[in-house]
Amino acid sequence: MTLRDLKVTPGSKLMLVGSTVDDVIEATKLPDKTAEVGGEEKVVTKEPFCKQERHRKVLDKFGVPDDAMPGIKSAKEELPAYPISGMINKAGGKVRLTFKLESDQLWLGTKERTEKLPMGSIKDIVSEPIEGKEEYHIMGIQLGPTEASRYWIYYVPAQYVDAIKRTIIG
């Protein structure tokens, strides 16, 4: 792009902001997986969901629900024609996922109420297997712009995780 393309005419005033070549190179570097702490290099690793304190508390307190659907480790199945049930939320309440494809909605049902969420309003879905119970996953459905708006569901059958993500996110 040139000044002529920007329609800068004689007599126009411009403010020029610049950086040194070193600053530009430093800013464009990809972050390294190591962080230097006090002269030592420390490898930065992401702690699995099931080991993070907030999730560990839920897993330890409630365990696998009695009515949990059987999970199949390393399997990938399409969504069933019926709701996926037998899961719990962070308070230990029963959770049921119903996919209303004809209206492009995910119904997130609990004993108290059913949230009818347009699939387009869901920003992201993250999930990880639960260590020691890999047939089940912890899944976070992001309902707002930040990670703090994730609705956490525990004991999601592993065979449906990919189908859930594909159906909602695409």
Side-chain angles (χ1 to χ4, degrees), residues 100-140:
K100 297 291 186 180
L101 300 178
E102 64 280 358
S103 57
D104 200 35
Q105 290 182 331
L106 168 66
W107 290 10
L108 212 156
T110 62
K111 192 169 111 177
E112 293 79 30
R113 67 172 178 266
T114 298
E115 292 287 334
K116 297 178 180 181
L117 306 167
M119 289 197 205
S121 71
I122 297 171
K123 308 293 184 240
D124 193 18
I125 296 180
V126 295
S127 72
E128 287 182 7
I130 299 170
E131 286 183 11
K133 293 180 179 71
E134 284 79 8
E135 65 273 19
Y136 295 107
H137 279 233
I138 297 173
M139 179 177 284

Side-chain angles (χ1 to χ4, degrees), residues 18-170:
S19 298
T20 65
V21 175
D22 292 337
D23 289 343
V24 172
I25 290 171
E26 191 63 35
T28 58
K29 278 186 184 174
L30 291 175
D32 199 6
K33 289 289 182 202
T34 61
E36 197 166 308
V37 180
E40 297 176 20
E41 280 197 6
K42 180 182 174 189
V43 177
V44 178
T45 56
K46 186 178 153 284
E47 188 176 31
F49 292 151
C50 63
K51 294 200 176 195
Q52 293 175 13
E53 188 176 345
R54 66 178 169 173
H55 300 302
R56 182 85 256 146
K57 283 181 179 178
V58 174
L59 298 173
D60 291 344
K61 183 174 182 181
F62 300 107
V64 180
D66 296 334
D67 61 344
M69 294 176 73
I72 304 169
K73 182 168 105 175
S74 303
K76 292 183 187 317
E77 294 182 10
E78 291 303 313
L79 289 175
Y82 47 86
I84 301 172
S85 60
M87 301 168 291
I88 59 172
N89 59 20
K90 67 180 180 182
K94 301 285 184 183
V95 175
R96 166 183 70 256
L97 295 178
T98 307
F99 293 85
K100 297 291 186 180
L101 300 178
E102 64 280 358
S103 57
D104 200 35
Q105 290 182 331
L106 168 66
W107 290 10
L108 212 156
T110 62
K111 192 169 111 177
E112 293 79 30
R113 67 172 178 266
T114 298
E115 292 287 334
K116 297 178 180 181
L117 306 167
M119 289 197 205
S121 71
I122 297 171
K123 308 293 184 240
D124 193 18
I125 296 180
V126 295
S127 72
E128 287 182 7
I130 299 170
E131 286 183 11
K133 293 180 179 71
E134 284 79 8
E135 65 273 19
Y136 295 107
H137 279 233
I138 297 173
M139 179 177 284
I141 299 175
Q142 190 168 322
L143 303 174
T146 65
E147 291 180 8
S149 63
R150 285 183 181 156
Y151 184 87
W152 292 101
I153 304 173
Y154 301 86
Y155 300 105
V156 179
Q159 68 268 26
Y160 299 127
V161 169
D162 284 344
I164 292 170
K165 288 180 180 180
R166 196 172 48 253
T167 302
I168 296 173
I169 303 297

